[in-house]
Amino acid sequence: MHRWLMTVGALLTAVALLLLSLLPGPPAEAVAMTAWVEHGHSLLLWSNELLFFAVICWGSGARGLVRAGRSARVDVGGTAFTVALAALVVVLLAVGRLVYPVFGIGLSTEVVALVVSSAFGALHLAFLGFAVAAVTLSWSTRAGLIGRAVGIVAAVAFIMGSFPWLTPHWWNALVPLLVAAWGVFFACVARTEKPGDATETTSSTV
């Protein structure tokens, strides 16, 4: 069940981030930021809704798979993954404030610019967390050397994708798909038994 939860979470995250990547680049002037938000309202709205369920599914699935490990590497990977999901929650809150008029309170152009920049800053942090998690968690999977290679390649792609304001739109649209691919891969090859379980099982049957 944890594998399915992580797979669904990875796919939902990919769709949510893909919707954000379809937005045009935010304007540098704060006065034009409100119009930018209104223009991309539907994309922001759907991204926000999907991201909520993505964090819940992905977090639940990863918790069940990662806790099977008992090494410093897995601990680092699990912590990095937690940081990535926490950063996605910040993105969720920021985007939600842009699309939902809480208590009917309007936002000034300066505040809108701050919220938008905070959302992309949190997205930057999330990709860095995914990069660390990809290297550390993929190092001890049932896929062996292939898993390690996939983790390193994914980490490089995530780091390159953590600067969406510097990279072209086609790359920003590709990185969410890579996030989903790595999430599904890890869900398929993650070890589900704790280290030593196989030894204990073997010794108990002798």
Side-chain angles (χ1 to χ4, degrees):
M1 186 62 182
H2 289 107
R3 297 185 189 277
W4 282 107
L5 283 171
M6 186 164 185
T7 297
V8 172
L11 294 175
L12 289 177
T13 299
V15 176
L17 298 182
L18 182 61
L19 292 177
L20 289 179
S21 71
L22 296 179
L23 290 167
E29 300 80 12
V31 293
M33 196 68 72
T34 301
W36 178 83
V37 172
E38 293 177 354
H39 177 72
H41 185 273
S42 59
L43 292 176
L44 291 169
L45 178 63
W46 281 106
S47 176
N48 183 259
E49 296 296 332
L50 292 175
L51 202 55
F52 171 76
F53 295 102
V55 170
I56 293 177
C57 292
W58 209 351
S60 301
R63 181 175 180 272
L65 295 178
V66 172
R67 70 181 177 183
R70 290 178 179 173
S71 68
R73 187 184 303 114
V74 173
D75 289 340
V76 171
T79 301
F81 199 89
T82 301
V83 170
L85 293 184
L88 289 182
V89 171
V90 175
V91 176
L92 176 65
L93 292 173
V95 174
R97 186 59 188 91
L98 291 174
V99 297
Y100 294 111
V102 181
F103 291 111
I105 300 174
L107 301 178
S108 65
T109 55
E110 291 77 11
V111 173
V112 171
L114 176 61
V115 173
V116 170
S117 60
S118 297
F120 280 96
L123 190 60
H124 168 77
L125 178 60
F127 279 125
L128 293 181
F130 284 135
V132 176
V135 172
T136 53
L137 296 181
S138 300
W139 198 262
S140 302
T141 64
R142 294 184 288 115
L145 292 177
I146 295 178
R148 299 177 183 181
V150 169
I152 293 174
V153 172
V156 172
F158 296 162
I159 292 175
M160 294 176 60
S162 65
F163 300 91
W165 55 89
L166 298 178
T167 48
H169 281 289
W170 67 266
W171 177 253
N172 294 337
L174 177 61
V175 173
L177 301 180
L178 297 179
V179 170
W182 175 78
V184 173
F185 174 80
F186 179 74
C188 294
V189 301
R191 298 181 184 276
T192 54
E193 71 277 356
K194 297 180 180 179
D197 283 357
T199 303
E200 293 175 3
T201 302
T202 302
S203 62
S204 63
T205 56
V206 174

